[in-house]
Amino acid sequence: MITTNAYAAFNQKDPLGPFQFERRNPGPSDVHIEILYCGVCHSDLHQVRNEWNGLSIYPMVPGHEIVGKVLSVGSEVKKFKKGDLAAVGVMIDSCRTCKPCHQQMEQYCVEGMTGTYNTYERGTKTIAQGGYSADIVTDERYVYQISKKLDPAAVAPLLCAGITTYSPLRFAKVGKGTKVGVVGLGGLGHMGVKFAASFGAEVTLISTTPSKQKDAERLGAHHFLLSTDPAQMTKFDSYFDVILNTISANHDYEKYLNLLDLEGKMMVVGLPSEDPKISPFSLIKNRRTVTGSMIGGTRETQEMLDYCAEKNIVADVEVIPVQKINEAYERMVRNDVRYRFVIDLKTL
Amino acid sequence: MITTNAYAAFNQKDPLGPFQFERRNPGPSDVHIEILYCGVCHSDLHQVRNEWNGLSIYPMVPGHEIVGKVLSVGSEVKKFKKGDLAAVGVMIDSCRTCKPCHQQMEQYCVEGMTGTYNTYERGTKTIAQGGYSADIVTDERYVYQISKKLDPAAVAPLLCAGITTYSPLRFAKVGKGTKVGVVGLGGLGHMGVKFAASFGAEVTLISTTPSKQKDAERLGAHHFLLSTDPAQMTKFDSYFDVILNTISANHDYEKYLNLLDLEGKMMVVGLPSEDPKISPFSLIKNRRTVTGSMIGGTRETQEMLDYCAEKNIVADVEVIPVQKINEAYERMVRNDVRYRFVIDLKTL
């Protein structure tokens, strides 16, 4: 076994602190990765604090935006060799036999994908532990190649915030001429603006916060729509072809639905804790659509990383030492981050 | 002007009764139609009783499932001649210049379509009056050709219940091999079952009423799913490619969403008075979609009528004299109709 240093939550109340645990020895199809950087996702906080399903497993090493360097590979591994850069995202396994798995859309695995942490390694009683740690052992199928051209700290958030926005924009066929509205400018929203703009779309950032206009434009947005201003909202009535809704706070869908043009699509990636209401009258007008989207599969995640290397796209990050993770959580709650914290694991 | 006999609602409380009003003389592009049959849609009742938007206009002659015989045509009319069968549906006008109008999807007209009744004739202060009447004068664009092969009384409901279910099933590309669930077996649902089965789909009727199973099968359904039985609902978890949701009673969407397979679509045509809740967790699972659909445009309505003639598809109807309309409304409220009342206008 491999003894691994980490930062963990020991229960839902206390601050995270140092922790040591054992990882499996790499099997024939495994890649053993020294973790360089790990992004801090809002879902880390939700799970650490047991806010989602009441089933959080402790001790919990969070982190599913992982970038590192390959230490060793199993005998059957083809894509990686020692010294390569490598990345691990939100999932580390799936059934590999169902229809979605065959299509490399493992996030929709019929049996359910295996998350990177806060679950058990598939078919075992070993707690899967995430990326706030020195190293990780993952089956090659769920490990991605990343380019040396990009800043590895800024690549880390692509593994969750990146793919979660890239996938629905591709699914909605966003491209040149598409009018895209991105609702919310946080970790997800800022990547949504970057991707939609890079695909050639006309991008509008939709926000309740006037001060975000400048940043939205810097990130590539062409317009800014203040959603608390009824006059502006009326101006954009039936305007957009696609709306990427990244809001995790409780809200109703109707307000944004009404901004959709004929056959417009609202892509939902935010997960409010209370179910939103939706107006059937707003839905049938313009034959509007609401579609949910969950991260991306292994093929699309690699495609997204390759696209980012080609287009020089990374997240806007603030790199922190692991000792500052509890403070970072507090700042995330206050929305005080532009736009993703990333832990530098050499501080461990 | 043309003096027209009709049945009208004079306010939101009293029973409908005899009424006489004037229709315009046919203009160059108008068709003057003697009405033979008019279907009784649930929305007639909603509007008569002022249950939708509080803006009902009285006196109101309801009816937007109209079948009749051409009495005369204007000088520019090309599609019709005296003596032809003809039909009028839910709309009689639209702006004719916007993008949806150019695509003959006039139901999504940017300015809003002109309904057949409970509104004003476009650009005038004349109340538009519907099909519980002896005749109607309508611009050729919004008049449809119907086949002599079909029973004209049973054709009438195709103009609303028919097109409202045909259009979303076509939009969702239902065909051979598609697993379709139809929720609710009323005027809309019974047409949804017929169309989905005729398109070659595997059809399941989803209902809270066990006694509807037999009828569902007679109409073409292959399976019956009792939605109040949790064990049956679990069996159909993630099963359907398309669900046609025809329910107008208040309900949440989550229950039916969970029945959708990967990239499954719920097509919503029912209009509950309270906004349904929708679970984002259920939406992002399987990348599910909810799409609203409103009747159909002029091209698609004609296509549907031609398809019905080819496949010998009509509604199941109970023909009533116009004097029984108030009693029919009471029976509709009790769901006591299999599956559409149709008024025989020669009883007027």
Side-chain angles (χ1 to χ4, degrees):
Chain A
M1 302 294 271
I2 299 162
T3 300
T4 297
N5 288 314
Y7 251 57
F10 301 95
N11 56 57
Q12 68 186 71
K13 283 188 178 162
D14 294 324
L16 276 67
F19 175 60
Q20 206 173 62
F21 67 102
E22 299 208 312
R23 299 231 184 241
R24 69 172 182 264
N25 287 319
S29 62
D30 283 337
V31 183
H32 184 201
I33 302 163
E34 175 195 359
I35 301 179
L36 301 174
Y37 296 99
C38 183
V40 181
C41 179
H42 214 101
S43 62
D44 296 350
L45 181 57
H46 280 301
Q47 291 176 87
V48 160
R49 298 190 175 175
N50 199 10
E51 288 170 348
W52 266 351
N53 55 13
L55 297 172
S56 286
I57 302 165
Y58 305 96
M60 181 195 300
V61 179
H64 58 204
E65 297 182 339
I66 298 166
V67 164
K69 192 175 277 189
V70 175
L71 291 171
S72 69
V73 299
S75 57
E76 294 168 8
V77 168
K78 295 198 178 79
K79 288 189 299 183
F80 298 94
K81 60 178 196 306
K82 187 180 168 182
D84 284 350
L85 287 172
V88 176
V90 177
M91 65 184 159
I92 54 165
D93 216 339
S94 61
C95 83
R96 310 185 193 191
T97 59
C98 67
K99 190 175 71 175
C101 281
H102 274 299
Q103 297 176 278
Q104 287 182 264
M105 305 210 298
E106 302 91 342
Q107 77 273 38
Y108 303 121
C109 173
V110 169
E111 291 184 6
M113 67 177 194
T114 303
T116 301
Y117 69 90
N118 193 24
T119 185
Y120 295 92
E121 295 188 4
R122 205 162 190 93
T124 76
K125 288 177 178 169
T126 306
I127 300 176
Q129 301 288 21
Y132 299 5
S133 61
D135 59 2
I136 191 166
V137 177
T138 308
D139 187 282
E140 176 185 33
R141 176 172 178 149
Y142 308 90
V143 182
Y144 308 99
Q145 295 166 309
I146 53 176
S147 167
K148 286 179 192 166
K149 281 168 38 184
L150 302 175
D151 170 10
V155 165
L158 299 179
L159 278 299
C160 176
I163 187 63
T164 298
T165 50
Y166 179 93
S167 181
L169 292 171
R170 287 297 196 199
F171 189 65
K173 297 189 170 49
V174 167
K176 207 169 154 57
T178 314
K179 291 175 184 162
V180 175
V182 176
V183 188
L185 190 62
L188 294 175
H190 98 289
M191 289 309 307
V193 169
K194 288 188 185 201
F195 282 130
S198 83
F199 297 164
E202 181 204 292
V203 183
T204 303
L205 193 278
I206 305 169
S207 172
T208 55
T209 315
S211 62
K212 294 212 169 161
Q213 177 163 3
K214 209 168 166 183
D215 235 15
E217 287 166 1
R218 179 182 61 78
L219 294 165
H222 307 90
H223 308 293
F224 180 84
L225 169 53
L226 186 66
S227 56
T228 51
D229 179 345
Q232 287 191 38
M233 289 296 273
T234 301
K235 208 178 113 193
F236 281 88
D237 183 83
S238 299
Y239 184 82
F240 297 104
D241 303 306
V242 174
I243 288 177
L244 179 68
N245 183 343
T246 74
I247 309 179
S248 287
N250 293 325
H251 69 294
D252 288 336
Y253 285 165
E254 178 165 6
K255 186 171 179 177
Y256 304 109
L257 264 189
N258 288 333
L259 304 178
L260 287 173
D261 194 8
L262 188 65
E263 294 174 12
K265 299 174 178 72
M266 182 162 86
M267 307 302 294
V268 170
V269 295
L271 292 175
S273 56
E274 283 175 29
D275 289 348
K277 284 189 179 178
I278 186 167
S279 158
F281 285 90
S282 296
L283 264 183
I284 72 165
K285 187 178 172 188
N286 283 344
R287 190 147 66 182
R288 290 164 172 145
T289 278
V290 176
T291 300
S293 183
M294 194 199 300
I295 52 170
T298 54
R299 180 171 49 207
E300 196 172 38
T301 301
Q302 188 60 63
E303 173 194 309
M304 179 270 307
L305 289 165
D306 295 346
Y307 178 84
C308 287
E310 184 196 325
K311 299 284 185 179
N312 204 29
I313 293 172
V314 290
D316 286 20
V317 300
E318 179 178 341
V319 178
I320 58 167
V322 71
Q323 294 78 10
K324 293 233 172 174
I325 185 63
N326 296 300
E327 189 184 311
Y329 279 2
E330 292 311 315
R331 286 181 55 198
M332 275 165 64
V333 170
R334 297 195 304 268
N335 260 324
D336 176 22
V337 51
R338 296 285 178 279
Y339 283 93
R340 206 63 148 182
F341 289 115
V342 172
I343 301 170
D344 178 349
L345 269 309
K346 76 172 176 290
T347 61
L348 191 65
Chain B
M1 301 295 271
I2 299 163
T3 301
T4 296
N5 288 315
Y7 251 58
F10 301 96
N11 55 58
Q12 68 186 72
K13 283 189 178 161
D14 294 324
L16 276 66
F19 176 60
Q20 207 172 61
F21 67 102
E22 299 208 311
R23 298 230 185 243
R24 69 172 181 266
N25 286 319
S29 62
D30 282 337
V31 182
H32 184 201
I33 302 163
E34 175 195 0
I35 301 179
L36 301 174
Y37 296 99
C38 183
V40 181
C41 178
H42 215 102
S43 62
D44 296 350
L45 181 57
H46 280 300
Q47 290 175 88
V48 160
R49 298 190 175 174
N50 199 10
E51 288 170 348
W52 267 352
N53 55 14
L55 298 171
S56 286
I57 302 164
Y58 305 96
M60 181 195 299
V61 179
H64 59 204
E65 298 182 338
I66 298 166
V67 164
K69 192 174 277 188
V70 175
L71 291 170
S72 70
V73 300
S75 57
E76 293 168 8
V77 169
K78 294 198 178 79
K79 288 189 299 182
F80 298 94
K81 61 178 195 305
K82 187 179 167 182
D84 284 352
L85 286 172
V88 176
V90 176
M91 66 183 158
I92 53 165
D93 216 338
S94 61
C95 83
R96 311 187 192 190
T97 59
C98 68
K99 189 176 71 175
C101 281
H102 274 299
Q103 297 176 276
Q104 287 182 265
M105 306 210 296
E106 302 92 341
Q107 77 273 38
Y108 302 120
C109 173
V110 169
E111 291 184 5
M113 66 177 194
T114 303
T116 301
Y117 69 90
N118 193 24
T119 186
Y120 296 92
E121 294 188 6
R122 205 161 190 95
T124 77
K125 288 180 178 169
T126 306
I127 299 177
Q129 300 289 21
Y132 299 3
S133 61
D135 59 1
I136 191 166
V137 176
T138 308
D139 187 281
E140 176 184 33
R141 176 172 178 150
Y142 307 90
V143 182
Y144 308 99
Q145 295 166 309
I146 54 176
S147 167
K148 287 179 192 167
K149 281 170 35 186
L150 302 176
D151 170 10
V155 165
L158 299 179
L159 277 300
C160 176
I163 187 63
T164 298
T165 51
Y166 180 92
S167 181
L169 292 171
R170 287 298 196 200
F171 189 65
K173 298 188 169 51
V174 167
K176 208 169 154 56
T178 315
K179 291 176 184 162
V180 175
V182 176
V183 188
L185 190 61
L188 294 175
H190 98 288
M191 289 309 307
V193 170
K194 288 187 187 202
F195 282 130
S198 83
F199 296 164
E202 181 204 291
V203 183
T204 302
L205 193 278
I206 306 169
S207 171
T208 56
T209 315
S211 62
K212 294 211 168 161
Q213 178 163 4
K214 209 168 167 183
D215 235 17
E217 286 166 1
R218 179 182 61 78
L219 294 165
H222 306 90
H223 307 293
F224 180 84
L225 169 52
L226 185 66
S227 56
T228 52
D229 179 345
Q232 286 191 39
M233 289 296 273
T234 301
K235 207 178 115 192
F236 281 88
D237 184 82
S238 299
Y239 184 83
F240 297 104
D241 303 306
V242 174
I243 287 178
L244 180 68
N245 183 343
T246 74
I247 309 180
S248 288
N250 292 325
H251 69 293
D252 287 337
Y253 285 165
E254 179 166 4
K255 187 171 178 176
Y256 303 109
L257 264 189
N258 289 333
L259 303 178
L260 287 172
D261 194 8
L262 187 65
E263 294 173 14
K265 299 174 178 71
M266 182 162 86
M267 306 302 295
V268 170
V269 295
L271 291 175
S273 57
E274 283 176 29
D275 289 349
K277 283 189 178 176
I278 186 166
S279 158
F281 285 89
S282 296
L283 264 183
I284 72 166
K285 186 177 172 189
N286 284 344
R287 191 146 67 180
R288 290 164 173 146
T289 278
V290 176
T291 300
S293 183
M294 194 200 301
I295 52 168
T298 53
R299 180 171 50 206
E300 196 172 40
T301 301
Q302 188 61 61
E303 173 195 308
M304 179 271 307
L305 289 164
D306 295 345
Y307 178 83
C308 287
E310 185 196 325
K311 300 284 184 178
N312 204 30
I313 293 172
V314 290
D316 286 20
V317 301
E318 179 178 341
V319 177
I320 57 167
V322 71
Q323 294 78 10
K324 292 233 172 173
I325 184 64
N326 296 301
E327 189 184 312
Y329 279 1
E330 291 312 315
R331 286 182 54 197
M332 276 165 64
V333 170
R334 298 196 304 268
N335 259 324
D336 176 22
V337 51
R338 297 284 177 280
Y339 283 94
R340 206 65 148 182
F341 289 115
V342 172
I343 302 170
D344 179 351
L345 269 310
K346 75 172 178 291
T347 62
L348 192 67

